Amino acid sequence: MMRKITELMLILAVVFTAGQAADEESWCTTGWSCFFSAYYKFVSTPLSWVEAELHCQKLIPGGHLASLHSLEEQQFVLKLSKNNVIWIGASDSYKDRTFFWTDGSAWDYENWHSGEPNNFHGTREACVNSYYFSDDTWNDFICTAKFPFTCKVTGPSCLTNQIVG
Ligand SMILES: [Ca+2]
């Protein structure tokens, strides 16, 4: 009896592992790059911040502009985005200087360039881009400006972090 249970558990473990690998493979073949348990896609077509967010939402269920929660994730996204200035999923459109992520995740990391966010020259800058200063820092900017962008969606944990495309 005990041996049968052990065998069953082993079979289940194999099936689960195979399933996870298949999941990851299918995500990667559709052009999504994996970093731990999230998947990312760089879109080179410049759009306004709102258009970019809507594009991410239409691209895949649960998709949003990328939220960033560590320097490692920031650098992964920059590499994927080929060091373009990109919109990220941060905005303070609801209340000046109170930033949020469009995917609803916690505001637990910031990487502002020195002097940012600044509503430059008194112009309301309610949307956030990355690499504006040719480094990994952030800048608040006018939401109607058009930039490439990177989408993100949470998914199955990947076995290896990798950039696709
Ligand atoms: Ca600014």
Side-chain angles (χ1 to χ4, degrees):
M1 179 69 178
M2 201 61 202
R3 190 170 158 205
K4 275 214 159 46
I5 290 171
T6 308
E7 276 173 8
L8 181 64
M9 285 171 72
L10 192 65
I11 288 165
L12 285 174
V14 169
V15 168
F16 177 76
T17 308
Q20 190 182 25
D23 277 352
E24 186 190 351
E25 195 179 326
S26 63
W27 280 72
C28 288
T29 51
T30 56
W32 291 81
S33 298
C34 184
F35 185 73
F36 294 102
S37 58
Y39 291 73
Y40 307 76
K41 186 174 265 189
F42 170 61
V43 180
S44 60
T45 309
L47 293 177
S48 72
W49 185 86
V50 168
E51 288 169 331
E53 168 63 21
L54 290 174
H55 185 93
C56 292
Q57 290 183 19
K58 282 182 200 152
L59 213 52
I60 193 163
H64 292 278
L65 281 172
S67 61
L68 300 171
H69 299 279
S70 68
L71 185 58
E72 291 72 24
E73 185 177 21
Q74 165 78 65
Q75 288 170 346
F76 176 86
V77 166
L78 270 193
K79 194 173 172 190
L80 167 68
S81 311
K82 303 179 174 72
N83 287 350
N84 278 276
V85 179
I86 53 163
W87 284 128
I88 56 174
S91 169
D92 67 344
S93 60
Y94 179 69
K95 187 181 176 192
D96 194 20
R97 309 299 166 114
T98 301
F99 287 88
F100 63 89
W101 294 114
T102 53
D103 65 8
S105 57
W107 190 263
D108 53 6
Y109 173 75
E110 293 182 329
N111 193 26
W112 297 108
H113 192 264
S114 171
E116 303 294 340
N118 64 353
N119 289 325
F120 190 57
H121 281 183
T123 305
R124 185 83 166 90
E125 297 184 309
C127 296
V128 180
N129 60 34
S130 179
Y131 209 67
Y132 189 78
F133 296 101
S134 300
D135 60 19
D136 56 20
T137 61
W138 305 348
N139 172 38
D140 61 340
F141 207 76
I142 304 161
C143 298
T144 50
K146 292 176 190 267
F147 290 108
F149 53 98
T150 298
C151 304
K152 174 181 176 181
V153 64
T154 52
S157 248
C158 47
L159 305 176
T160 49
N161 295 333
Q162 60 176 310
I163 286 176
V164 176

